[in-house]
Structure formats: structure tokens, C-alpha cells
Amino acid sequence: MTAGSADDDEPADRVGLADGDGLADHDVLADRDDGDGRRADLVRRSYRLCGRVARHHGKTYAMAARLLSAQQRRDVHAVYAFCRVADDIVDDAGDADAEQTRRALAELGARFRADLARGESDHPVLAAVVETARRRRIDPTCFERFLRSMAMDLDTTAYDTWDDLMGYMDGSAAVIGEMMLPVLRPYDATQALGPARDLGIAFQLTNFLRDVGEDLDRGRIYVPQEDLARFGVDPRERRVSTRWRALMRFEIERNRRIYASADAGIPLLPGRSARCVHTARILYSRILDRIEAAGYDVFSTRVRVPGREKAAVAVRSMLRRPPSVAAGSPASTGGSASRSGSASGERTRTAGASGVHPRSETGGRDAPTAES
């Protein structure tokens, strides 16, 4: 389950994006006249489809994206929809042979690379994705890394250590932050890189903690095995014991520290982008509050943030003044600007048993405006 997964709403029906091999059913437009007008219409329809996908499956992300300019919002939807297509190929595989699903992911990647190279696509989703990736100059390797992590879900059902899980999340979560940076247009992309990666990781960790029960149904356990052993629990028992609650407190505290590390990047964003990211961060982190309020029971029900609360947070974010960079903060000193980001710094500081276990450059661009 990735950052492209459904957020804190009930799992929704698929939108017909990953039937069969994930591509063949969408090639109906390929043989049509590709005149400029028809091509532009295809791209517009592709963006509309991506928007429907984002609103249907990722209501929290879609709510936050409303604070962006129209073009930024379309670009966010395109990136989200790409991730959703790949995610559905894996999660909808069912009893399909793993190699067949792996081929479908490889075909999606090959189609994306070919369409990106020629500058356009006839695929209903990739048409928008290619247009966004080219215009925003998103590093194509980000998409490759994401697909590699999706393929890991076909044969990796658990992760022994936090480092092992971080290896998976580099492509499944941190890379989402990297893809979003050119869309959000930070004032300093180098300094914003680490926090952007951290936020992607924090979002996915929240997914993992909320969806322990659902992931068990898919035969996957994302909580590191070393943590389960340390606290003496087995999630397959689906029992909320004293030990389970202690484990969840441990995991939630780590998750919150990564959110706090990601916060250093918000002042580096223009107004609209800062408000969007702040809204998504607040809403998603409140899932952790809901897990606590449910007594750490992530087996019997799926916690969610109510729609009214989402709307209220979005309105407050729209009215608030964007934060500024505080002197001496990680953002002002560049403390999070490595490829590995400060989440891996967290790992280094606290990996011992006595503590808590815990890239696309946009340089060369003129100073961004909040409307771009």
C-alpha cells in the first residue's frame, strides 16, 4: 500500500484504471486523428479523469489541493493518478501470477518512458502525466523508483528492520515528495528536498499504522519485525493487548517526529503551496489522533477524519498567513537537504533498543509565484 492508496475514507471502488494488464483497455484512443485540437482535448479529458481519481480515492489530498492554483491542482492530480494506476495493478492482482502482475507494471513503465520521450501520450491517464512531467521537469527516474517499490509488494510481505522498510519507502513514499516539489515550486529546492521526502514518508507511515488490519488481509505486514519482536506482539492475532498499545505508541511517536521534521519545508513554499501542504499535513496527522482515541484498535474498524473537520481545516489554512523560515531552523540552515533526508537522520540517532527507532532538483528556476 503506497502514498497512492486511498486515504482516510472508506476504500472506494476502482475507477477502471487497472483492468487486465492495466493498459490494453485504455488504448482505444491510440488510432484517432492526433491533430492539435484533438490532442489538446485528449489532454484535457485526461486531466479531468485524473481529478476524478484523486477526489474518489484520496479525499484528504484532494481537499488540500483545492488551495492550489488550477494548474498546480491538475498536476497534483496527474501524479496521484499515476501512482493509483500502479497501486491498483498490484492490489487488484488477486490470484494472478506474480510474474504477470510484474509484467503489467513493467509495461506501464515502458509505456510511460516511450510516451515521455515522444512528448505525448494517448493513454487516458498518461496523457496528463506526461504533460505534467515534461512541463514541470519532474525527474523521470522518480517514476521508475516508484514502480520498483510497487513490484516489491509482489514478493515481499514483511520487513525485518526499519532500514529495510525505509528502502521500500524511498520508492513508495519519499519519491512522491520529490515528484511534488516541482509542482509546489519551493523558493529553494535543495533545502526543501529533505522535508519533502520526510512528508511522503510520514504520510505512508500513517497509512501503515491505520491499515494494519487491511494489510493483513492482503498478506502484508509493514510494521518492522524487529519492533514486533521487541514488544512481543503478533498482529496476526488481531488483539489489542497492553503490549500492542505500547507498540502503537512507539510507532506513532516516531511518525510524529518525522512529521515535525517535514514541517521545516513548509516555510520554503509560496503561499498557495504552503497552505496546501500544511492542510494535508494537519489532516493526515490527525489520523494518528484518531488511532489513539480508538484505543489503538486498527483491526475492527478504519479510523477516519470526518469531512466537516477536513473542510474546517482547509478554510483555516486558506485564511492563515503562510509561515516564514525561522532563523536557526532546519529549513534556514539546510539541515534536511540530503537525498536521504532527515528521516534517515532520525534512524541514525535512535535506532538503538534504548531509544525510539525510529530528489528532483528544480534549481535554475526564477522565483515562483503563488499562482503558477
Side-chain angles (χ1 to χ4, degrees):
M1 183 192 60
T2 72
S5 297
D7 57 30
D8 54 310
D9 298 276
E10 288 295 337
D13 293 337
R14 308 304 189 191
V15 195
L17 296 176
D19 299 330
D21 64 3
L23 291 173
D25 291 348
H26 304 309
D27 287 344
V28 293
L29 300 171
D31 295 328
R32 295 188 179 182
D33 179 9
D34 63 347
D36 290 343
R38 191 173 294 276
R39 176 64 54 191
D41 182 61
L42 170 59
V43 173
R44 283 192 295 269
R45 287 188 283 121
S46 180
Y47 276 116
R48 286 197 294 268
L49 174 59
C50 292
R52 292 198 298 273
V53 172
R55 290 187 295 271
H56 192 61
H57 289 279
K59 293 182 173 61
T60 294
Y61 297 127
M63 174 71 74
R66 291 181 184 180
L67 301 175
L68 297 172
S69 68
Q71 186 59 67
Q72 285 177 299
R73 187 162 57 248
R74 287 190 289 269
D75 293 334
V76 168
H77 292 165
V79 172
Y80 183 95
F82 177 89
C83 297
R84 186 78 225 183
V85 170
D87 202 52
D88 285 356
I89 288 174
V90 174
D91 284 347
D92 289 352
D95 295 331
D97 180 82
E99 286 308 310
Q100 178 182 340
T101 305
R102 200 182 306 276
R103 285 194 298 270
L105 284 172
E107 185 179 352
L108 175 62
R111 175 69 179 269
F112 171 73
R113 289 192 300 273
D115 290 350
L116 187 66
R118 71 187 182 101
E120 61 186 27
S121 176
D122 293 310
H123 184 283
V125 170
L126 293 185
V129 179
V130 167
E131 202 276 336
T132 287
R134 286 175 60 86
R135 177 166 37 77
R136 296 293 186 181
R137 300 179 183 178
I138 301 175
D139 186 347
T141 64
C142 289
F143 297 90
E144 298 297 325
R145 286 160 52 208
F146 180 80
L147 293 175
R148 282 199 296 270
S149 280
M150 292 302 92
M152 289 176 66
D153 275 333
L154 298 176
D155 48 33
T156 303
T157 59
Y159 295 86
D160 289 340
T161 68
W162 172 253
D163 283 2
D164 293 335
L165 183 62
M166 286 290 290
Y168 168 78
M169 288 195 297
D170 171 75
S172 67
V175 77
I176 307 299
E178 298 179 36
M179 287 193 278
M180 289 298 182
L181 270 187
V183 178
L184 298 173
R185 296 176 62 83
Y187 297 118
D188 188 324
T190 300
Q191 289 190 34
L193 176 59
R197 286 175 52 85
D198 283 354
L199 190 58
I201 290 169
F203 284 160
Q204 187 167 54
L205 284 175
T206 299
N207 278 341
F208 289 161
L209 297 179
R210 178 199 61 198
D211 296 340
V212 171
E214 292 180 21
D215 289 331
L216 281 171
D217 294 338
R218 296 187 176 104
R220 301 173 194 154
I221 299 175
Y222 290 103
V223 179
Q225 295 295 303
E226 64 181 0
D227 295 352
L228 299 176
R230 175 183 173 188
F231 286 91
V233 297
D234 184 348
R236 291 169 296 188
E237 295 178 353
R238 301 179 187 253
R239 189 166 66 91
V240 184
S241 63
T242 299
R243 290 175 179 269
W244 177 259
R245 288 190 289 269
L247 168 71
M248 290 296 287
R249 284 192 292 268
F250 173 89
E251 302 294 345
I252 287 173
E253 176 59 26
R254 170 169 59 194
N255 199 166
R256 284 181 171 144
R257 282 203 305 275
I258 298 175
Y259 274 118
S261 178
D263 287 344
I266 297 178
L268 298 172
L269 299 173
R272 285 180 181 264
S273 297
R275 293 183 181 97
C276 168
V277 172
H278 177 264
T279 298
R281 181 258 194 262
I282 294 298
L283 289 176
Y284 231 76
S285 63
R286 286 188 180 182
I287 296 173
L288 301 177
D289 301 336
R290 299 276 168 168
I291 293 174
E292 290 173 328
Y296 306 100
D297 182 1
V298 289
F299 303 111
S300 62
T301 187
R302 195 177 204 248
V303 301
R304 68 183 78 181
V305 177
R308 292 188 303 276
E309 185 173 339
K310 294 179 187 176
V313 170
V315 169
R316 287 196 295 271
S317 292
M318 184 170 58
L319 296 175
R320 73 191 288 270
R321 182 176 181 176
S324 58
V325 181
S329 69
S332 68
T333 61
S336 296
S338 69
R339 164 75 186 268
S340 59
S342 51
S344 67
E346 173 88 359
R347 177 180 60 221
T348 301
R349 287 194 306 273
T350 59
S354 63
V356 178
H357 294 280
R359 149 185 99 159
S360 150
E361 181 61 51
T362 60
R365 183 179 290 125
D366 292 337
T369 68
E371 303 299 324
S372 58

